[in-house]
Amino acid sequence: MSILVIAEHDNTNLKAATLNTVAAAKEIGSDITLLVAGADIASVTSEAQQLNGVTKILACDDNLYKNFLAEELSNLVVSLAARRDQPSCYTLACRIC
Protein backbone atom coordinates (compact mmCIF):
# COMPACT_ATOMS: atom_id res chain seq x y z
CA MET A 1 0.00 0.00 0.00
CA SER A 2 1.42 3.33 -1.05
CA ILE A 3 0.89 6.35 1.21
CA LEU A 4 1.02 9.98 0.10
CA VAL A 5 1.61 12.50 2.91
CA ILE A 6 1.05 16.17 2.11
CA ALA A 7 3.65 18.23 3.95
CA GLU A 8 2.59 21.24 5.96
CA HIS A 9 5.23 23.97 5.97
CA ASP A 10 5.77 27.72 5.73
CA ASN A 11 7.99 27.61 2.61
CA THR A 12 10.98 27.51 4.97
CA ASN A 13 10.47 24.73 7.55
CA LEU A 14 8.29 21.66 8.01
CA LYS A 15 5.57 21.96 10.65
CA ALA A 16 5.26 19.48 13.52
CA ALA A 17 1.99 18.20 12.03
CA THR A 18 3.98 16.74 9.14
CA LEU A 19 6.21 14.79 11.50
CA ASN A 20 3.13 13.43 13.30
CA THR A 21 1.49 12.47 10.02
CA VAL A 22 4.61 10.66 8.82
CA ALA A 23 4.72 8.78 12.13
CA ALA A 24 1.07 7.74 11.66
CA ALA A 25 1.77 6.73 8.05
CA LYS A 26 4.59 4.47 9.23
CA GLU A 27 2.02 2.59 11.32
CA ILE A 28 -0.02 1.91 8.15
CA GLY A 29 2.76 0.94 5.74
CA SER A 30 6.33 1.40 4.63
CA ASP A 31 6.00 3.00 1.16
CA ILE A 32 5.64 6.68 2.14
CA THR A 33 5.84 9.51 -0.35
CA LEU A 34 5.98 13.08 0.96
CA LEU A 35 4.54 15.84 -1.23
CA VAL A 36 6.16 19.22 -0.63
CA ALA A 37 4.40 21.96 -2.62
CA GLY A 38 5.23 25.64 -2.26
CA ALA A 39 7.54 28.40 -3.45
CA ASP A 40 11.28 28.50 -2.82
CA ILE A 41 11.08 25.22 -0.88
CA ALA A 42 14.70 24.08 -1.09
CA SER A 43 15.14 24.26 2.69
CA VAL A 44 11.88 22.36 3.26
CA THR A 45 12.91 19.66 0.81
CA SER A 46 16.29 19.39 2.48
CA GLU A 47 14.65 19.01 5.89
CA ALA A 48 12.23 16.43 4.46
CA GLN A 49 15.15 14.31 3.25
CA GLN A 50 16.11 13.78 6.89
CA LEU A 51 12.75 12.25 7.87
CA ASN A 52 12.89 8.64 8.90
CA GLY A 53 10.45 6.46 6.99
CA VAL A 54 9.90 8.64 3.94
CA THR A 55 10.86 6.65 0.85
CA LYS A 56 10.22 9.32 -1.79
CA ILE A 57 9.84 13.11 -1.89
CA LEU A 58 7.84 14.90 -4.55
CA ALA A 59 8.84 18.57 -4.63
CA CYS A 60 6.63 21.02 -6.52
CA ASP A 61 8.43 24.36 -6.33
CA ASP A 62 6.23 26.94 -8.03
CA ASN A 63 4.70 30.29 -7.09
CA LEU A 64 1.32 28.72 -7.83
CA TYR A 65 1.62 26.88 -4.48
CA LYS A 66 3.12 29.77 -2.48
CA ASN A 67 -0.05 30.54 -0.51
CA PHE A 68 -1.23 26.92 -0.17
CA LEU A 69 -4.62 27.50 -1.74
CA ALA A 70 -6.77 24.40 -1.40
CA GLU A 71 -7.94 24.65 -5.01
CA GLU A 72 -4.42 24.52 -6.42
CA LEU A 73 -3.16 21.89 -3.99
CA SER A 74 -6.17 19.64 -4.55
CA ASN A 75 -5.62 19.80 -8.31
CA LEU A 76 -2.01 18.77 -7.77
CA VAL A 77 -2.98 15.83 -5.52
CA VAL A 78 -5.60 14.62 -8.02
CA SER A 79 -3.08 14.76 -10.86
CA LEU A 80 -0.53 12.82 -8.79
CA ALA A 81 -3.11 10.21 -7.76
CA ALA A 82 -4.05 9.67 -11.40
CA ARG A 83 -0.39 8.97 -12.28
CA ARG A 84 0.36 6.56 -9.44
CA ASP A 85 1.27 3.02 -10.47
CA GLN A 86 -0.59 1.31 -7.66
CA PRO A 87 -4.39 1.37 -7.66
CA SER A 88 -4.55 1.28 -3.84
CA CYS A 89 -3.29 4.48 -2.29
CA TYR A 90 -3.88 6.36 0.97
CA THR A 91 -3.54 10.12 1.08
CA LEU A 92 -2.87 11.68 4.46
CA ALA A 93 -3.07 15.44 4.73
CA CYS A 94 -1.87 17.36 7.74
CA ARG A 95 -4.38 20.09 7.06
CA ILE A 96 -6.12 21.34 3.96
CA CYS A 97 -8.41 24.33 4.38
Side-chain angles (χ1 to χ4, degrees):
M1 185 70 57
S2 180
I3 302 168
L4 175 64
V5 174
I6 302 169
E8 183 175 350
H9 60 88
D10 59 5
N11 288 313
T12 304
N13 296 301
L14 288 172
K15 299 292 185 177
T18 300
L19 307 179
N20 295 337
T21 305
V22 169
K26 287 169 40 177
E27 296 295 320
I28 298 171
S30 60
D31 183 14
I32 301 171
T33 299
L34 183 67
L35 171 61
V36 180
D40 299 317
I41 56 171
S43 63
V44 180
T45 304
S46 178
E47 185 178 352
Q49 291 171 343
Q50 307 303 314
L51 293 180
N52 183 23
V54 174
T55 54
K56 184 177 183 182
I57 298 171
L58 301 175
C60 298
D61 194 338
D62 192 296
N63 278 332
L64 182 66
Y65 306 113
K66 181 177 184 176
N67 296 314
F68 313 107
L69 296 177
E71 296 83 1
E72 301 301 341
L73 190 56
S74 63
N75 288 336
L76 176 61
V77 171
V78 168
S79 71
L80 291 172
R83 292 176 27 198
R84 296 189 65 81
D85 296 333
Q86 299 178 4
S88 298
C89 171
Y90 287 115
T91 300
L92 302 177
C94 299
R95 177 178 52 146
I96 298 179
C97 16

